[in-house]
């Protein structure tokens, strides 16, 4: 009995000792003092690796470029259903590992850290409380070469689940003092330049399982087929607050996809991935008002943009929390036709597309599926059938009657007219009537005289 009690006390002493040793480490991480993670921005949770799936969180800024000494507002955002408890935020040169500039706090629940011996060069949490939004300000500092920068963040959802290297759009340095020209939502914010190809291969794996996919040829895999035009959409949270898009296809100018209420070009919400004058791939957000070049609009709440061109194939992937809008002042509609277009550009200006395809029906991007490409609309098929019947069959028979039956039926009359003539007139009248109906069908579909309108059909 005495020995059992002695063993029990020894075990209790070991448990107390373990708690005393581990507790400071737990408090250290929950308090946000994570200077050991400054270089790789990775939480040191023993034996655990970061999530490989795209993060449901976004890092956005209120400017697309920065000016020496001017403030930039930086916001970390999470869906309401997927908050985070910890984070680490730095500004870095694109492709660099050291922090640049300095932060200032605008609200509680945050603290400044010293990384790479640079005071206030990082921001982290102060407790493990639930967070859905954090906002801070950042200022650039003088250096010999003002390079493009982006904000890099790590997010901790719980001890086992965390993400690293969640980035904002790239910000270029602007050597002037007019802050208005760099503030959202001016048109230049529609562009994000990516000087390196950090995106992983876009693949058709998990199509219909975790993501919606749309491609031409049908069911093609872009990793195996260089001629595959492909886009996918994957919801990152049940609340549909964030969507991960992928877009790829062979082109010397641009590839794009959009959302539409119908199968005609006009009132479409479009994302365009194209090659700029400097040879780098850029992502743009645009709105198509009809038979004109899509109008650039602010990129909005888009983050983690990965883009590159390789062997003539343009690839982009990005996370968007933008509400799909097919009318500039309307809200969210859950089902849309998917449009895909590709073509050349000249000096940064999009030229008329050389190839297009559209989904066969409206789709909900929150529901994984493989989307089928639409064929010609039924009304256009009817137009073609009527023209074919009119001129390849009935009209031809009418002309053959006039050519070959005229002599054979000279002595046969009906109502005072030659039979061959009456048959010829009847057949040609049906031909004319079918032609008129075919034209009415095509005009009722296109609703215009111009041949350009027909080409605007995706």
């Amino acid at each position: 009995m005495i020995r059992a009690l002695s063993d029990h006390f020894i075990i209790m002493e070991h448990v107390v000792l373990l708690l005393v040793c581990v507790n400071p480490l737990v408090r250290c991480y929950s308090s946000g003092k994570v200077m050991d993670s400054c270089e790789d921005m990775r939480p040191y949770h023993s034996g655990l690796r970061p999530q490989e799936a795209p993060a449901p969180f976004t890092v956005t800024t209120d400017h697309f470029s920065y000016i020496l000494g001017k403030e930039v507002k930086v916001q970390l955002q999470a869906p309401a259903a997927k908050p985070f408890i910890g984070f680490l935020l730095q500004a870095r040169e694109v492709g660099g590992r050291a922090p640049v500039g300095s932060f200032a706090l605008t609200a509680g629940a945050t603290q400044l850290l010293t990384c790479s011996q640079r005071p206030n060069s990082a921001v982290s949490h102060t407790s493990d409380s639930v967070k859905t939004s954090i906002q801070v300000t950042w200022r650039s500092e003088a250096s010999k070469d003002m390079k493009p920068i982006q904000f890099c963040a790590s997010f901790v959802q719980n001890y086992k689940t965390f993400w690293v290297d969640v980035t904002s759009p790239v910000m270029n340095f602007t050597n002037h003092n007019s802050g208005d020209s760099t503030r959202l939502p001016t048109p230049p914010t529609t562009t994000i330049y990516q000087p390196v190809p950090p995106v992983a291969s876009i693949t058709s794996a998990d199509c219909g399982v975790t993501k919606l996919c749309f491609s031409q040829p049908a069911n093609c895999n872009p990793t195996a087929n260089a001629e595959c035009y492909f886009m996918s959409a994957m919801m990152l949270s049940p609340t549909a607050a964030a969507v991960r898009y992928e877009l790829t296809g062979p082109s010397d100018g641009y590839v794009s996809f959009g959302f539409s209420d119908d199968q005609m070009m006009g009132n479409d919400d479009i994302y365009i991935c194209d090659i700029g004058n400097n040879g780098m791939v850029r992502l743009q957000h645009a709105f198509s008002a009809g038979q004109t070049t899509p109008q650039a609009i602010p990129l909005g709440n888009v983050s983690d943009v990965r883009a590159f061109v390789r062997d003539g194939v343009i690839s982009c992937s990005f996370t968007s929390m933008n509400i799909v809008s097919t009318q500039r002042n309307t809200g969210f509609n859950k089902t849309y036709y998917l449009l895909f277009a590709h073509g050349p550009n000249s000096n940064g200006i999009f030229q008329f597309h050389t190839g297009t395809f559209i989904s066969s029906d409206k789709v909900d991007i929150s529901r994984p599926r493989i989307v089928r490409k639409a064929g010609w609309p039924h009304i256009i098929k009817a137009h073609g059938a009527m023209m074919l019947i009119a001129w390849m069959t009935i009209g031809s028979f009418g002309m053959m009657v006039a050519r070959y039956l005229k002599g054979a039926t000279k002595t046969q009359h009906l109502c005072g007219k030659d039979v061959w003539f009456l048959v010829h007139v009847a057949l040609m009248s049906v031909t004319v009537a079918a032609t008129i109906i075919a034209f009415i069908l095509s005009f009722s579909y296109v609703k215009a005289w111009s041949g350009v309108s027909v080409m605007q059909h995706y």
Side-chain angles (χ1 to χ4, degrees), residues 262 264 377-384 386 435-450 453-454 457:
D262 53 35
M264 295 289 291
H378 294 306
I379 192 169
I380 297 299
K381 289 181 178 179
H383 163 81
M386 294 295 288
T435 302
I436 293 173
I437 294 172
F439 272 103
I440 292 174
L441 291 175
S442 62
F443 280 119
S444 65
Y445 177 73
V446 177
K447 298 181 176 64
W449 285 91
S450 173
S453 297
V454 178
H457 175 264

Side-chain angles (χ1 to χ4, degrees), residues 85-96:
I85 61 173
F87 73 93
L88 177 61
L89 174 67
Q90 292 181 4
R92 294 181 171 184
E93 293 178 353
V94 174

